[in-house]
Amino acid sequence: AKPDPSDYEVIISDHLTPLVVTALRTGMRRSELLRLRWSDVDFFLERDGDRTGQKVIDVITVRAGKTGKVRYVPLNGEAWSVLVQWKRYSTALHGKTPEYVFVDSRGRPLKSVKTSWRNLTTKANLNVDFRTLRRTFGSRLVQNGVSIYQVSKLLGHASVTTTEQHYAALNQLDALAAVRTLGENI
C-alpha cells in the first residue's frame, strides 16, 4: 500500500510536483533532472551557516549535462523544501532512499514524463512544453537584474552567446538605464 503523505509530514506524493518545482527553481534540463541522483543533491542541516559562520549553500551537482561539464546549481528555499519532502516520501514509499531522485513506483529512474506532463497541461488548459520551465527560470533571472553571464553559468550554456540569443531582449531596460548614466551633457 502506498504511504499516506500525512504520515511522513509531506504535502507532495506525486513525482511531477517536485520535478516541476525543481525545474522552475534551478533551470535544469529535463534530461538532467531525470538522471539526477540523491548523491548529487547536497543538503546541509545547518541552513544559516556552519561552525565558521560561513553561509551554507545547498547545491545540486549536475554531471555531464548537454555540454559534458559539471556545474553546481544552488537551491533556493522552495527547491530545497520540496526536495527534502520528496526524499522523505520517496524513501518511505520504497523502504529506502532510491538512488535516483525521480523514480517510478518500482523505484526505477523515470525515463520520461511525457504522459504526466501532457495530462497536467491538458487539465490546466495550457499549451506549453516542459522546456518552458527552464526558459521561465532564465527569463525571471534576467528580468530581476541578474547578468547574462551569470544566467549562462546557471543554465549550463556552453557559451554566453547562446544565453544572449535567448534572453538579451529581456534586458533592454538595463541597457536604457546604462545609457542614461551618461547624462545629456556629452
Side-chain angles (χ1 to χ4, degrees):
K2 193 173 185 179
D4 185 293
S6 63
D7 295 339
Y8 299 97
E9 299 178 13
V10 297
I11 57 172
I12 52 172
S13 61
D14 67 280
H15 68 277
L16 201 54
T17 299
L19 189 72
V20 167
V21 170
T22 305
L24 272 172
R25 299 298 181 231
T26 65
M28 292 174 65
R29 296 172 178 92
R30 180 180 51 213
S31 61
E32 293 168 341
L33 290 163
L34 295 180
R35 288 192 312 258
L36 185 62
R37 298 170 191 256
W38 283 115
S39 60
D40 292 327
V41 181
D42 295 322
F43 294 118
F44 294 95
L45 296 177
E46 298 182 57
R47 304 269 311 143
D48 294 326
D50 62 14
R51 285 181 235 141
T52 65
Q54 299 290 319
K55 177 75 175 139
V56 175
I57 300 173
D58 306 304
V59 297
I60 293 177
T61 303
V62 180
R63 301 178 191 283
K66 188 174 176 182
T67 63
K69 296 179 181 178
V70 172
R71 77 178 192 279
Y72 302 96
V73 179
L75 293 174
N76 71 6
E78 184 180 9
W80 181 86
S81 178
V82 78
L83 285 172
V84 166
Q85 288 183 47
W86 180 243
K87 185 174 186 180
R88 186 179 300 137
Y89 182 76
S90 187
T91 299
L93 181 63
H94 300 290
K96 64 178 182 165
T97 302
E99 179 181 0
Y100 289 86
V101 175
F102 301 106
V103 295
D104 64 18
S105 61
R106 294 182 184 151
R108 297 178 304 208
L110 288 175
K111 300 291 184 207
S112 174
V113 291
K114 286 179 184 174
T115 302
S116 54
W117 182 256
R118 185 178 59 246
N119 290 342
L120 173 72
T121 57
T122 300
K123 188 174 183 178
N125 197 26
L126 295 171
N127 185 20
V128 295
D129 65 11
F130 197 87
R131 288 175 294 201
T132 302
L133 303 174
R134 180 172 163 79
R135 289 186 203 113
T136 299
F137 174 79
S139 297
R140 286 180 177 169
L141 289 174
V142 170
Q143 290 168 337
N144 284 314
V146 177
S147 73
I148 291 289
Y149 176 79
Q150 186 64 6
V151 173
S152 179
K153 293 298 175 198
L154 289 169
L155 289 172
H157 287 161
S159 166
V160 73
T161 304
T162 303
T163 314
E164 288 173 332
Q165 290 170 348
H166 293 285
Y167 301 101
L170 297 173
N171 212 4
Q172 292 305 310
L173 290 177
D174 286 348
L176 177 60
V179 170
R180 285 186 175 162
T181 64
L182 298 174
E184 299 299 323
N185 303 324
I186 295 183

